[in-house]
Amino acid sequence: MDDRTPMELMNEYSRSMDRMYFTYQPRKDQADRFDEQTSFYNSKHKGVTFILGGNGSGTTTTALAKAVKFLLRDQPPPRPATPFWFVSEGYPMVMDVVWNEKLFGRGLLPKEEIQWEKIDWYKPNQNWPFRVPLKPWPDENPDNYWILEFKSYEQGRSKMQASSVGGFVFVEQCPFELITESIARCRDYNYAGAKIAEFTPIDPVLSQPLEDMLINDTLPEDWAVYRCNTECAMEAGHVSRDWYNEFFGMVSPEMRDVRKIGAFASYEGLIYPTFNTRLHTDVGVSSMLVPGVRHYRAIDWGSGPDNAMVCLWAAKDGVGTWYVYDEYYSTDQNMNYADHAAAIMERHTWNDPMYFCETYADPASPGLARLFTDMGIYTSPALNSVIEGIEAVRVQLTLNHGESQIVIDKDMCPNLVRELQTYRWERARNSRLNPKDAAPRPLKKDDHACDALRYLIFTNQQSARFDGISTRKSVPKNKKRFINTDMEKGNGYPR
């Protein structure tokens, strides 16, 4: 028999309804603008889920709301006083921002869900708790409940140790080893959606481990990274336009993408900041082509471990979209240029001049171009106007009616994808980061696939203009990828 009073039953019913109709609403995704609040909020990854974003973009609020959703709606507590960690840089910050401003102040955590009489207080007059126990879940074991524990990076690794925790949320950048230590404390449960981290990656040292994993495609299994855009927050009314204009009026151009979309600080001066693997890459790109499209190659000469020999294969459809479907990338010092030519010829059939067109080659080595021509690879000197060529690639990376104008096979062209993510302007000699007036010269390191792509797009664009042919046509809103499933080896189409 239930001994609770009608008022207690009504309060419990109200709690159940509050849980059922959890009201936080993230912004609708705009992946092309690096704004993915909804995808992040609804994700349930076993590994760490990161949301990187600009100042005022809503990463903190969304990360904390995601944690509360996990605690109130997604996962019942497995035992009495199961810890869930909220971690920030210093204890005043974790109290003032995480607790007083967000969880308590904005009501992200409903006050009715807290066991107020059991709070372990640090400074009660300032509303600073150490631990906040939540009520047991309705219709679950009444002895089990979650307990929020607040910690700071400044406490160090020793304070991040415990027998086990149910999950964590990190607010702002922290030493990566603290995230590793916290993961170890989740070993007993390892719940999906319980490991959360949000920050604006201002400090390149702190974000370097995550940056390296993204560049090298070595994120651990079921880890994920989402982005958040301050401009989208302003447009949605989450921050004022006056604040936005004032704040970004004080931010240097090199830091703008860091402060706006959460680009890595070590990427200051990125040459292709709009390159987005979700928008500009795919798999099986060669199967997206129909007979009749024109195929091209582009070559950047190189030899040795720091000077790769690169050839790209690409096709261009009738509306001007490029499909880069393969790459040859070699740093083998034991191969000569005749060996490279043979390997390129073997890789794809190139025998119909109507559909298999120019091979644009770096103009700096006409002798190598003659060697390749003698071996059957007829080359045309590429236009090597660096700044104009970069701008041509940038234009190609923009969307036209929501459609990408360049699609790169991420499985077949891993080096091109990697270089596009890291290709940057040259730094000043005595500056760790790019100065405001850095010389507009690309850093000559790990750039050979990017050079080949620049030769391909810019030379083809200029050649078409010289011929009086426009290559920039509007893409219809209902344009679909060209699909052809009948491509076979040896029939004049790519293998």
Side-chain angles (χ1 to χ4, degrees):
M1 180 176 178
D2 198 326
D3 294 330
R4 289 176 293 180
T5 66
M7 181 61 69
E8 289 173 334
L9 291 173
M10 181 63 70
N11 289 338
E12 192 64 22
Y13 176 76
S14 176
R15 285 184 60 227
S16 300
M17 294 299 289
D18 285 342
R19 287 167 176 267
M20 188 180 303
Y21 298 106
F22 191 70
T23 57
Y24 174 79
Q25 292 294 325
R27 290 192 300 275
K28 184 178 179 181
D29 284 352
Q30 297 183 65
D32 60 314
R33 300 179 66 190
F34 300 97
D35 200 50
E36 301 168 305
Q37 269 195 340
T38 294
S39 292
F40 166 77
Y41 180 72
N42 292 326
S43 65
K44 292 185 178 181
H45 300 282
K46 283 280 190 179
V48 183
T49 307
F50 295 87
I51 183 165
L52 312 183
N55 299 93
S57 64
T59 56
T60 303
T61 298
T62 309
L64 295 175
K66 180 178 177 65
V68 172
K69 179 170 71 74
F70 171 83
L71 296 168
L72 297 186
R73 194 173 70 184
D74 294 345
Q75 180 58 54
R79 70 172 196 264
T82 307
F84 191 98
W85 285 351
F86 290 79
V87 194
S88 192
E89 183 176 6
Y91 207 76
M93 181 177 183
V94 77
M95 285 292 94
D96 287 337
V97 175
V98 175
W99 173 250
N100 275 335
E101 180 186 339
K102 306 285 185 180
L103 292 175
F104 179 80
R106 293 193 181 180
L108 290 178
L109 177 64
K111 298 178 178 64
E112 296 77 13
E113 295 295 336
I114 297 171
Q115 298 189 62
W116 291 97
E117 71 282 2
K118 293 184 178 180
I119 290 180
D120 181 11
W121 290 101
Y122 171 44
K123 293 183 178 181
N125 292 337
Q126 294 181 248
N127 195 32
W128 282 16
F130 276 129
R131 300 172 187 86
V132 176
L134 304 184
K135 292 181 180 179
W137 271 42
D139 302 322
E140 295 286 342
N141 188 334
D143 295 328
N144 295 349
Y145 58 90
W146 290 106
I147 185 165
L148 281 54
E149 293 190 355
F150 299 96
K151 295 181 176 291
S152 75
Y153 308 159
E154 294 174 349
Q155 292 174 310
R157 181 178 179 274
S158 63
K159 297 295 184 180
M160 306 297 291
Q161 297 178 346
S163 57
S164 69
V165 302
F168 58 80
V169 54
F170 277 80
V171 177
E172 296 300 338
Q173 285 186 277
C174 71
F176 212 82
E177 60 266 21
L178 296 185
I179 295 180
T180 303
E181 186 65 39
S182 300
I183 293 170
R185 303 303 147 197
C186 294
R187 62 185 178 273
D188 289 344
Y189 306 113
N190 200 33
Y191 293 130
K195 297 183 277 293
I196 304 166
E198 70 85 21
F199 58 90
T200 299
I202 296 170
D203 188 332
V205 175
L206 294 179
S207 59
Q208 191 65 51
L210 180 61
E211 183 179 3
D212 288 344
M213 286 189 285
L214 288 172
I215 291 172
N216 299 316
D217 196 23
T218 56
L219 273 179
E221 183 177 358
D222 208 23
W223 284 34
V225 179
Y226 297 86
R227 301 283 282 278
C228 217
N229 187 334
T230 307
E231 186 174 29
C232 295
M234 179 268 292
E235 292 171 355
H238 298 159
V239 295
S240 74
R241 185 176 295 273
D242 288 343
W243 172 87
Y244 178 88
N245 292 335
E246 180 182 6
F247 178 77
F248 282 100
M250 299 166 56
V251 175
S252 69
E254 294 76 26
M255 289 295 289
R256 184 167 291 272
D257 284 342
V258 178
R259 298 286 191 175
K260 182 184 291 186
I261 62 173
F264 289 105
S266 58
Y267 279 16
E268 290 172 355
L270 265 186
I271 292 176
Y272 299 128
T274 60
F275 178 70
N276 185 329
T277 55
R278 287 194 175 106
L279 300 173
H280 298 114
T281 69
D282 210 329
V283 294
V285 169
S286 62
S287 68
M288 298 177 179
L289 309 176
V290 295
V293 295
R294 294 179 177 269
H295 297 256
Y296 300 86
R297 294 179 294 204
I299 292 173
D300 187 56
W301 312 111
S303 62
D306 297 320
N307 190 18
M309 171 72 191
V310 176
C311 180
L312 300 180
W313 284 262
K316 185 180 179 184
D317 69 19
V319 293
T321 300
W322 284 97
Y323 299 83
V324 186
Y325 54 80
D326 202 3
E327 71 175 21
Y328 173 80
Y329 188 99
S330 176
T331 57
D332 190 344
Q333 289 180 287
N334 297 318
M335 295 180 68
N336 58 39
Y337 284 104
D339 296 329
H340 291 309
I344 290 170
M345 292 177 67
E346 173 63 20
R347 202 172 185 94
H348 291 284
T349 303
W350 205 265
N351 57 11
D352 187 342
M354 180 170 290
Y355 301 113
F356 293 83
C357 307
E358 289 89 345
T359 298
Y360 306 117
D362 182 354
S365 301
L368 293 178
R370 288 192 294 270
L371 171 64
F372 269 48
T373 297
D374 291 342
M375 294 191 66
I377 299 178
Y378 301 96
T379 67
S380 301
L383 297 177
N384 196 20
S385 301
V386 177
I387 303 302
E388 292 86 348
I390 287 171
E391 182 61 19
V393 176
R394 283 176 166 173
V395 171
Q396 201 68 31
L397 288 170
T398 61
L399 301 183
N400 193 353
H401 293 295
E403 289 283 349
S404 172
Q405 298 179 97
I406 183 167
V407 184
I408 301 169
D409 195 312
K410 62 183 178 182
D411 289 343
M412 301 302 294
C413 307
N415 294 289
L416 175 60
V417 172
R418 172 178 52 79
E419 288 187 10
L420 285 170
Q421 292 176 301
T422 59
Y423 193 41
R424 58 177 301 122
W425 299 111
E426 186 176 341
R427 293 173 178 169
R429 291 183 179 180
N430 297 320
S431 177
R432 183 167 171 263
L433 299 178
N434 296 61
K436 183 174 182 179
D437 297 318
R441 292 189 298 270
L443 181 66
K444 294 304 295 178
K445 181 180 180 181
D446 203 24
D447 63 343
H448 297 280
C450 284
D451 284 348
L453 183 67
R454 174 166 53 84
Y455 299 152
L456 172 75
I457 291 176
F458 182 58
T459 309
N460 180 266
Q461 177 195 85
Q462 295 302 305
S463 297
R465 287 178 178 174
F466 295 152
D467 294 338
I469 302 172
S470 174
T471 62
R472 302 290 298 166
K473 299 181 181 179
S474 178
V475 180
K477 291 185 178 180
N478 62 351
K479 172 183 175 286
K480 302 296 183 183
R481 300 278 183 233
F482 292 119
I483 305 296
N484 172 41
T485 58
D486 300 323
M487 299 175 69
E488 298 176 356
K489 295 182 179 180
N491 68 351
Y493 295 96
R495 297 184 187 183

